Amino acid sequence: MIKAQFKTISFYHKNTMKKKINNLFKKIIIILNLIFIFAFYISSVNAAVPVFVDTKDISDETEQPGQLVFNNDGTKMFLTGYGVKKVFEYALSTAYDVSTASITTNYSVSAKETALNAVAFNPDGTKMFVTGSASDKIHQYSLSTGFDLSSTVTFVKSSDSITEEEGNPEVILFNDDGTKIYITGRVSDAVHEYDLGSAYDVGSLTLVTSFSMSSETNITEGMSFNDDGTKLFMNDLQFDKVFQYSLSTPYSFESTVTLEGSFSIADQESHSQYVAFNNDGTKMYIVGNNGDDITEYSLSCAFHVLTTSCSSSSSSSSTSDPTTDSDVVGSLKASTKLSKNVITHSINSISNRLNFIKNNRSNEDLSNQKIDLNFGNPILTSMYNASSVSKKLNQSPLKNNLPEGWSMWNEGTISLSKILDDSTKKDILSNNLTIGFDKKINGNEIEGFAFQVGYSDIDVGKDGTGSESINYNFSIYRTNPLENNNYIDTIFGIGLITNDLTRIDGTNILSANRNDKQLFGSFNLNKPIKQNKFTFTPSAKIDFGYTFLESFREQGTNALKFSSQEIETGIVSLGLKFDGLTNFNNSKIKPFGSLEYGYDFTEISTAKLNYISDTGTTYSYDQDDNLNHVLTSKLGFNYSFKDKLNIFSNYKRTQRSSSNHTDSIDLSLNFKSKRETEYAMSLGGSKDLSAGFNVAKNINGFDLKFDVNQSFEDTADKNVLVNLSTKF
């Protein structure tokens, strides 16, 4: 009994210990699981590992599928078939969801390529490009309807052979504006960058550089860029990895290309062929030969396949309305203002020339020079009137060799426009030079032409947003004398503006280039009236202009695409000008001035833009820059004493509203001593005045010139120039 009881007790203790041990193990497992789950949660928050979503079987259509591309909104996808030599078109009921894809049509390219690998389109889908390992050429087609293979597809041309660089091309990619094309393939394991003669035209290929990836990849297959060309993704057939690279300069393999890491896709695909992304980089697609399918992944960080924390520099799908951004709106307004300023200056410079002709119509030689440019200080144009420098310019070989009856003239200006009509200040600094030639015909009629070049610097806000622009204009003009001393002046011109644009968005720096084209003209009816020593000229004028702003894309994080824009301008004005001449023994003074009222009937211009990462959402901003009433006034004088002293002064103000105006001032003095040494001083500019001092003397046939220029800005450079020259 006692023994039996002891056994029972022993058994009881053994069973209890076993339960305690089991419970302990359970608790340990639970704790470990909790730790693992927590760690996984933390890593998932901070990591950008692609997550497998779904697989789309395409084996019914083709074996050995090739490059995958989407249309702009992700409702269509296109895929090449190697053996069948066809491009397949699919419809997606849900954008960028390959599981919803259904085939709609296909197009055979067997006439040009019998081993099809790659396909690409231009932005509107009206051009298609294919290549493969049989021809080693890029073949270009046109589509009557964009991204529609069921429409009329026509072969256009083929490129030269690229066999020397790549004998088995696998991918076709373009940069953001279609001026570069990129090819990669299995033979070279490199990316080959080519320049195109024209955007999205393979008729002319010029190799820029080749970037080898053989140290990372063994059989290079697919390739894709992120939305701004600062990242490159490459997949390899043997290693089944997606490699991520960074480019220091967007879309340039001449810049620094750095391998950031790789992501394995071996669990889903053992023969990966191609890699692609949706528009905002939150989905990645792998095309593979193992099962002939498309594998879809989701990315927690846009265009980021590495197991590292999301970087602030990574692209994001920002959906904030850009038309509420003061820098974006400020840039739009400044561009509109610049286009108007260029037209206004072009018309005004020729109008000034025509006024000079009328005031000096009895002269046989109507050449005149109004400025001497100091290239040591590009911000300021020092203006001299009736100086020896001006006279020497008028005695240039160009002038002396003009055809009989022709006269030469030029004019330069500097102005600073300030726009304070909203919370963002905009400064527009402009320098312009006009050179013209004209002659008398049929008695008093004058006809001629003029060339203009100008530089403008626009600052928007305080963070660095702005642009630098260069404009080129060509104009023809004519003045016809009518009865009773009336005149009608006619001006027509064309122009081009090249722009380098910069926008600062937080820590992001975005850049772009844009070209603007212009047409402009003016009709002016005026009648000079002489009263004693003064001449008064009332006038009625209409100025008109048309500017076409080309579409452009920014490069950088959260980049924007701006659609093309049309700006139509027009002003009807009434004015009164006066000038006079008073002689005092050996001196004379010429006062001048003008007052002009204009009515601005400029049409509202609408700017349309969207994020490059979100092509489905378009934003609009109406630029109602019509301020209706414009008042321009000018007052100045020119004083001269014999041939020794000349003083010129001019002040001009253009008032468009109480807070929107342009001011400019010019003051110069020229003095020649008894020893024929010439001294000149000048003051000019608008917001930031600058002073100049000049000494010139002829010594034994040599012209010695000493120039000093000083801006009143504390941080401005000082410019000193010594020049010794002679004429042979």
Side-chain angles (χ1 to χ4, degrees):
M1 217 33 212
I2 295 174
K3 190 174 183 179
Q5 186 179 9
F6 175 78
K7 288 182 178 179
T8 303
I9 293 171
S10 297
F11 176 79
Y12 172 79
H13 283 289
K14 287 181 180 180
N15 192 45
T16 303
M17 286 296 293
K18 185 176 180 180
K19 287 183 178 180
K20 289 183 178 180
I21 293 173
N22 288 337
N23 289 334
L24 179 62
F25 273 111
K26 287 181 180 180
K27 291 179 180 179
I28 293 173
I29 292 173
I30 291 173
I31 292 172
L32 291 175
N33 283 334
L34 290 173
I35 294 173
F36 175 79
I37 292 172
F38 179 76
F40 178 81
Y41 172 76
I42 295 298
S43 65
S44 66
V45 171
N46 296 305
V49 181
V51 178
F52 169 72
V53 176
D54 206 347
T55 298
K56 173 66 178 181
D57 187 359
I58 52 174
S59 58
D60 291 343
E61 291 86 56
T62 183
E63 295 181 357
Q64 295 181 289
Q67 187 171 2
L68 171 71
V69 296
F70 294 92
N71 69 338
N72 294 330
D73 60 7
T75 58
K76 287 186 177 183
M77 74 177 188
F78 301 84
L79 190 73
T80 61
Y82 178 84
V84 295
K85 316 167 197 63
K86 294 180 179 179
V87 180
F88 296 94
E89 177 183 321
Y90 296 79
L92 283 69
S93 58
T94 302
Y96 296 106
D97 184 352
V98 296
S99 67
T100 66
S102 59
I103 189 166
T104 55
T105 189
N106 63 77
Y107 181 80
S108 175
V109 297
S110 58
K112 299 297 178 182
E113 181 56 65
T114 58
L116 179 62
N117 289 328
V119 63
F121 294 86
N122 70 332
D124 64 5
T126 57
K127 292 183 179 182
M128 180 176 71
F129 307 85
V130 300
T131 189
S133 55
S135 68
D136 297 331
K137 295 180 179 180
I138 305 169
H139 309 287
Q140 180 176 328
Y141 298 80
S142 66
L143 282 68
S144 60
T145 303
F147 296 109
D148 187 355
L149 296 180
S150 65
S151 65
T152 303
V153 182
T154 306
F155 171 74
V156 177
K157 65 181 70 172
S158 297
S159 72
D160 294 333
S161 175
I162 58 173
T163 304
E164 186 174 347
E165 292 85 44
E166 178 55 61
N168 189 4
E170 296 283 344
V171 170
I172 299 175
L173 291 178
F174 291 93
N175 66 340
D176 57 342
D177 61 4
T179 57
K180 291 182 181 290
I181 193 171
Y182 308 85
I183 303 293
T184 189
R186 298 184 180 184
V187 174
S188 65
D189 290 326
V191 181
H192 309 288
E193 178 183 333
Y194 301 85
D195 278 336
L196 301 182
S198 300
Y200 299 103
D201 188 341
V202 299
S204 176
L205 298 180
T206 303
L207 180 66
V208 176
T209 189
S210 296
F211 178 79
S212 177
M213 297 182 175
S214 58
S215 60
E216 292 91 37
T217 64
N218 189 44
I219 305 177
T220 304
E221 289 284 343
M223 181 176 70
S224 183
F225 287 110
N226 69 336
D227 55 349
D228 60 9
T230 59
K231 290 187 182 294
L232 174 76
F233 304 88
M234 182 78 67
N235 65 304
D236 181 89
L237 181 64
Q238 179 174 339
F239 298 134
D240 295 314
K241 293 181 178 180
V242 177
F243 296 89
Q244 179 176 308
Y245 300 81
S246 64
L247 285 71
S248 60
T249 301
Y251 299 106
S252 174
F253 289 92
E254 292 184 299
S255 66
T256 303
V257 182
T258 305
L259 176 65
E260 296 183 336
S262 63
F263 171 74
S264 176
I265 53 175
D267 290 344
Q268 288 80 38
E269 182 59 60
S270 60
H271 291 86
S272 63
Q273 292 281 101
Y274 295 89
V275 59
F277 294 85
N278 66 339
N279 62 341
D280 62 4
T282 58
K283 290 186 177 183
M284 181 178 71
Y285 309 87
I286 299 295
V287 181
N289 282 346
N290 184 21
D292 298 324
D293 51 26
I294 304 170
T295 305
E296 178 181 325
Y297 300 81
S298 67
L299 281 69
S300 57
C301 297
F303 295 107
H304 209 304
V305 303
L306 306 180
T307 57
T308 57
S309 299
C310 293
S311 172
S312 59
S313 61
S314 301
S315 299
S316 65
S317 55
S318 174
T319 57
S320 61
D321 187 350
T323 62
T324 62
D325 187 306
S326 58
D327 278 6
V328 173
V329 173
S331 297
L332 291 172
K333 288 188 174 184
S335 295
T336 301
K337 180 65 175 178
L338 173 63
S339 67
K340 292 185 177 183
N341 283 356
V342 171
I343 291 175
T344 299
H345 179 268
S346 300
I347 293 175
N348 287 347
S349 62
I350 296 177
S351 297
N352 293 337
R353 169 61 179 174
L354 294 175
N355 291 331
F356 173 86
I357 291 174
K358 295 166 190 174
N359 295 331
N360 299 270
R361 54 186 178 273
S362 60
N363 296 348
E364 290 296 324
D365 184 9
L366 292 174
S367 297
N368 74 310
Q369 167 68 38
K370 297 187 64 177
I371 61 167
D372 179 21
L373 293 179
N374 174 15
F375 294 101
N377 188 345
I379 299 177
L380 177 69
T381 302
S382 298
M383 301 186 65
Y384 300 97
N385 190 352
S387 68
S388 67
V389 176
S390 298
K391 294 175 183 178
K392 289 179 180 179
L393 287 175
N394 278 323
Q395 296 172 0
S396 65
L398 177 60
K399 176 186 178 297
N400 291 334
N401 290 280
L402 289 174
E404 185 178 357
W406 284 86
S407 301
M408 184 185 77
W409 63 278
N410 53 43
E411 179 178 304
T413 62
I414 178 173
S415 66
L416 178 67
S417 300
K418 299 179 74 64
I419 306 176
L420 300 169
D421 55 348
D422 55 29
S423 59
T424 302
K425 177 174 67 73
K426 293 163 281 293
D427 294 334
I428 305 176
L429 178 66
S430 299
N431 298 273
N432 297 277
L433 175 65
T434 305
I435 301 176
F437 305 86
D438 48 44
K439 67 176 298 185
K440 291 182 180 180
I441 59 172
N442 301 327
N444 290 325
E445 296 181 21
I446 299 287
E447 64 180 14
F449 60 93
F451 301 92
Q452 182 199 53
V453 61
Y455 168 81
S456 298
D457 185 6
I458 301 176
D459 294 322
V460 178
K462 300 180 179 179
D463 297 328
T465 296
S467 68
E468 293 185 0
S469 306
I470 299 177
N471 64 275
Y472 309 90
N473 287 341
F474 173 76
S475 306
I476 58 175
Y477 56 90
R478 184 184 179 98
T479 180
N480 298 77
L482 305 178
E483 297 180 355
N484 300 321
N485 207 29
N486 293 318
Y487 288 84
I488 183 169
D489 302 329
T490 307
I491 303 171
F492 289 104
I494 58 175
L496 173 69
I497 305 176
T498 63
N499 304 273
D500 292 327
L501 309 170
T502 302
R503 182 168 66 89
I504 307 299
D505 181 20
T507 59
N508 301 323
I509 302 176
L510 302 105
S511 60
N513 302 103
R514 188 190 71 216
N515 293 327
D516 306 333
K517 300 177 178 64
Q518 292 189 314
L519 294 171
F520 56 88
S522 176
F523 297 98
N524 184 11
L525 179 64
N526 53 88
K527 180 179 181 177
I529 302 172
K530 287 188 174 291
Q531 294 288 337
N532 297 324
K533 297 180 180 181
F534 289 89
T535 300
F536 298 89
T537 306
S539 64
K541 184 172 66 170
I542 178 171
D543 297 335
F544 61 89
Y546 171 82
T547 303
F548 177 78
L549 280 63
E550 292 185 348
S551 62
F552 69 95
R553 298 160 59 101
E554 295 177 330
Q555 294 183 351
T557 304
N558 287 338
L560 293 170
K561 178 184 179 184
F562 294 77
S563 301
S564 60
Q565 184 181 351
E566 296 179 351
I567 301 174
E568 299 176 0
T569 60
I571 296 179
V572 176
S573 58
L574 299 173
L576 177 66
K577 299 178 182 178
F578 78 91
D579 59 79
L581 176 61
T582 302
N583 294 305
F584 308 93
N585 295 327
N586 294 321
S587 63
K588 56 184 178 181
I589 184 171
K590 294 181 179 179
F592 59 87
S594 64
L595 184 66
E596 185 176 76
Y597 167 78
Y599 178 77
D600 189 342
F601 59 92
T602 298
E603 296 290 334
I604 295 176
S605 178
T606 300
K608 294 185 177 182
L609 56 156
N610 62 266
Y611 287 100
I612 295 176
S613 60
D614 182 14
T615 58
T617 305
T618 300
Y619 304 89
S620 298
Y621 181 78
D622 290 334
Q623 294 178 260
D624 187 4
D625 197 43
N626 183 356
L627 298 176
N628 294 329
H629 309 287
V630 183
L631 186 65
T632 304
S633 57
K634 182 168 62 176
L635 186 65
F637 70 90
N638 188 359
Y639 172 80
S640 60
F641 177 76
K642 295 182 177 181
D643 292 328
K644 303 297 184 181
L645 176 66
N646 185 272
I647 301 175
F648 173 81
S649 178
N650 178 55
Y651 171 77
K652 181 180 178 182
R653 182 180 182 95
T654 301
Q655 186 76 43
R656 299 178 69 91
S657 70
S658 59
S659 60
N660 189 341
H661 63 269
T662 301
D663 291 317
S664 62
I665 184 172
D666 297 285
L667 176 65
S668 65
L669 182 147
N670 184 272
F671 174 72
K672 183 180 291 184
S673 71
K674 293 181 178 181
R675 296 184 177 182
E676 299 299 313
T677 301
E678 184 179 345
Y679 303 90
M681 291 177 288
S682 65
L683 176 69
S686 180
K687 176 186 176 183
D688 303 315
L689 294 179
S690 178
F693 178 71
N694 169 275
V695 179
K697 182 176 178 61
N698 186 280
I699 304 175
N700 298 327
F702 289 87
D703 291 324
L704 179 64
K705 189 175 180 181
F706 178 79
D707 284 311
V708 179
N709 285 276
Q710 171 64 59
S711 175
F712 293 131
E713 291 184 281
D714 294 335
T715 59
D717 295 333
K718 302 175 179 62
N719 300 284
V720 179
L721 177 64
V722 179
N723 188 353
L724 181 65
S725 62
T726 189
K727 296 180 180 178
F728 297 94

